[in-house]
């Protein structure tokens, strides 16, 4: 790298652009492509990105050699998952609550523990993720407005109440963001006081969501009974899957209810197990966004046997 930095400027076509540039583009400046290396650590910092890129290329070529193809179903599934905004949000939430759990663990360690050096880093990571996710929530109330309208039209009090509380929480969460950046200023609330008050709305939302799950399970169980009486296997399978999904979400709502009691300081608990609960509830949410590619079943050949069976018979 030092050798590259010593290339004469006259050999670089971009040198002719020097009068138009505020800082050197190619070399000679700390922000250029080829900065003057001052130490081994500086060299490591500058080459970290290219080295990781080369490592990824090496892995890809190794995969091609082992499987004779560049495409990967798992890789595509991971990218399909991460390309969803909701999936990225829930993965960020897993890390955010992992940071809370680590802070709780560090609080129980001796003050002179070497691990205490990590505490400000973990706290900064948690706060940064929380604000990134909050910024990303703008507009998230939009799909709930038609749901609220439909619930009102159908006189569905429970669903209407849940939608109203959730929409209120999301709108007030945007207000918290505006308070934090200084666009709004309230005389009666600091930003954190407004945030903690708003969390009481999401606590109520979790209670209502839990109730909706209980109601749906009771409705689906009736359909399951009818399907079992008729012997409809497809309907039975669908009903059991719906019941399982709702029970899973009920666990999620119990966990998030406890989490919000602590975060809102309605009931102070311990960060280490609240963080762990947050990781579990976030995993449940994230798993709903994972849609793996289903391989097509092998096509039967003319004699009714699959290709592997035919080869085995031969």
């Amino acid at each position: 790298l030092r050798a590259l930095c010593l290339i004469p400027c006259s050999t670089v076509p971009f040198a002719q652009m020097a009068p138009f540039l505020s800082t050197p583009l190619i070399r000679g400046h700390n922000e250029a492509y080829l900065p003057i290396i001052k130490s081994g650590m500086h060299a490591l910092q500058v080459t970290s990105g290219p080295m990781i890129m080369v490592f990824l290329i090496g892995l890809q070529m190794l995969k091609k050699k082992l499987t004779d193809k560049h495409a990967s179903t798992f890789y595509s599934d991971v990218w399909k998952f991460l390309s969803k905004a909701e999936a990225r949000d829930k993965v960020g939430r897993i890390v955010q609550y992992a940071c809370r759990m680590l802070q709780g663990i560090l609080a129980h360690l001796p003050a002179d523990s070497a691990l205490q050096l990590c505490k400000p880093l973990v706290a900064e990571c948690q706060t940064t993720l929380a604000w990134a996710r909050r910024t990303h929530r703008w507009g998230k109330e939009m799909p709930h407005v038609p749901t609220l309208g439909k619930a009102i039209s159908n006189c569905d009090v429970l669903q209407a109440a849940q939608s109203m509380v959730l929409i209120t929480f999301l709108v007030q969460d945007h207000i918290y963001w505006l308070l934090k950046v200084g666009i709004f200023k309230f005389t009666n609330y600091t930003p954190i006081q407004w945030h903690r008050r708003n969390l009481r709305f999401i606590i109520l939302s979790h209670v209502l969501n839990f109730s909706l799950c209980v109601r749906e399970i009771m409705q689906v169980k009736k359909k399951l009974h009818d399907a079992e009486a008729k012997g409809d296997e497809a309907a039975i399978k669908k009903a059991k899957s719906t019941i399982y999904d709702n029970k899973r979400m009920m666990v999620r709502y119990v966990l998030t209810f406890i989490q919000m009691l602590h975060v809102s300081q309605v009931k102070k608990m311990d960060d280490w197990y609240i963080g762990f609960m947050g990781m579990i509830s976030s995993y449940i949410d994230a798993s709903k966004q994972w849609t793996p590619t289903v391989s097509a079943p092998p096509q039967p050949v003319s004699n009714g046997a699959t290709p592997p069976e035919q080869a085995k018979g031969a």
Side-chain angles (χ1 to χ4, degrees):
L1 189 58
R2 287 178 179 273
L4 289 173
C5 292
L6 296 176
I7 299 173
C9 289
S10 59
T11 64
V12 182
F14 288 104
Q16 298 176 4
M17 297 174 59
F20 302 98
L21 304 177
S22 300
T23 59
L25 177 65
I26 305 298
R27 69 180 188 89
H29 189 272
N30 204 38
E31 298 169 13
Y33 291 125
L34 302 173
I36 298 173
I37 302 302
K38 300 175 182 178
S39 65
M41 183 56 69
H42 188 193
L44 181 61
Q45 294 164 356
V46 170
T47 58
S48 58
M51 284 193 297
I52 293 173
M53 179 268 296
V54 170
F55 174 73
L56 293 174
I57 291 175
L59 285 180
Q60 182 63 33
M61 298 312 295
L62 178 62
K63 180 191 179 303
K64 173 65 169 63
K65 185 175 181 180
L66 294 175
T67 64
D68 198 34
K69 59 181 180 179
H70 284 294
S72 168
T73 301
F74 177 72
Y75 187 93
S76 299
D77 287 342
V78 171
W79 171 239
K80 182 169 64 174
F81 172 77
L82 293 176
S83 65
K84 299 177 182 178
E86 194 68 17
R88 292 195 302 273
D89 177 69
K90 300 313 176 187
V91 171
R93 192 169 183 266
I94 291 173
V95 179
Q96 179 186 341
Y97 273 92
C99 291
R100 181 177 287 276
M101 182 182 70
L102 289 174
Q103 288 195 83
I105 293 171
L106 290 171
H108 291 283
L109 295 179
D112 58 352
S113 172
L115 292 176
Q116 296 294 351
L117 295 173
C118 301
K119 194 168 184 178
L121 302 176
V122 173
E124 180 64 25
C125 182
Q126 178 186 337
T127 302
T128 301
L129 281 170
W131 279 105
R133 293 182 58 242
R134 185 164 290 109
T135 302
H136 188 66
R137 280 201 287 269
W138 279 89
K140 203 169 182 178
E141 64 279 0
M142 292 179 65
H144 301 289
V145 175
T147 302
L148 173 58
K150 184 178 178 181
I152 293 173
S153 297
N154 295 336
C155 298
D156 187 343
V157 177
L158 184 58
Q159 180 62 68
Q162 190 277 332
S163 296
M164 285 190 288
V165 172
L166 182 57
I167 292 170
T168 302
F169 163 76
L170 290 169
V171 171
Q172 292 182 161
D173 189 61
H174 306 332
I175 294 173
Y176 174 41
W177 188 92
L178 294 169
L179 285 167
K180 186 67 176 179
V181 299
I183 296 176
F184 282 3
K185 292 188 183 297
F186 290 171
T187 56
N188 297 315
Y189 290 98
T190 64
I192 192 62
Q193 287 174 332
W194 178 264
H195 174 55
R196 288 172 181 163
R197 174 182 176 272
N198 192 35
L199 289 177
R200 296 170 189 245
F201 287 83
I202 201 65
I203 289 172
L204 177 57
S205 176
H206 293 325
V207 173
L208 295 172
N209 271 319
F210 186 93
S211 303
L212 285 169
C213 287
V214 172
R215 185 179 73 175
E216 186 171 2
I217 287 174
M218 293 174 64
Q219 292 172 347
V220 173
K221 279 185 175 179
K222 294 179 182 178
K223 295 180 181 179
L224 176 60
H225 180 73
D226 294 340
E228 288 175 338
K230 296 177 182 178
D232 189 341
E233 293 298 328
I236 293 172
K237 184 178 180 181
K238 181 179 179 181
K240 288 184 176 180
S241 176
T242 301
I243 291 172
Y244 171 78
D245 289 341
N246 275 280
K247 287 182 176 179
R248 206 160 170 259
M249 291 306 294
M250 287 168 68
V251 172
R252 187 261 191 199
Y253 293 131
V254 169
L255 293 175
T256 48
F257 175 82
I258 297 171
Q259 292 162 220
M260 292 304 106
L261 285 177
H262 172 69
V263 177
S264 65
Q265 296 194 352
V266 171
K267 171 63 177 176
K268 292 184 180 180
M269 290 174 265
D270 200 310
D271 272 340
W272 79 262
Y273 59 80
I274 292 297
F276 184 67
M277 288 180 180
M279 292 174 67
I280 296 173
S281 61
S282 300
Y283 167 76
I284 292 172
D285 287 339
S287 64
K288 293 168 66 177
Q289 304 299 320
W290 177 260
T291 53
T293 302
V294 179
S295 301
Q299 296 296 322
V301 293
S302 57
N303 61 3
T306 61
E309 290 172 342
Q310 187 185 44
K312 186 176 180 180

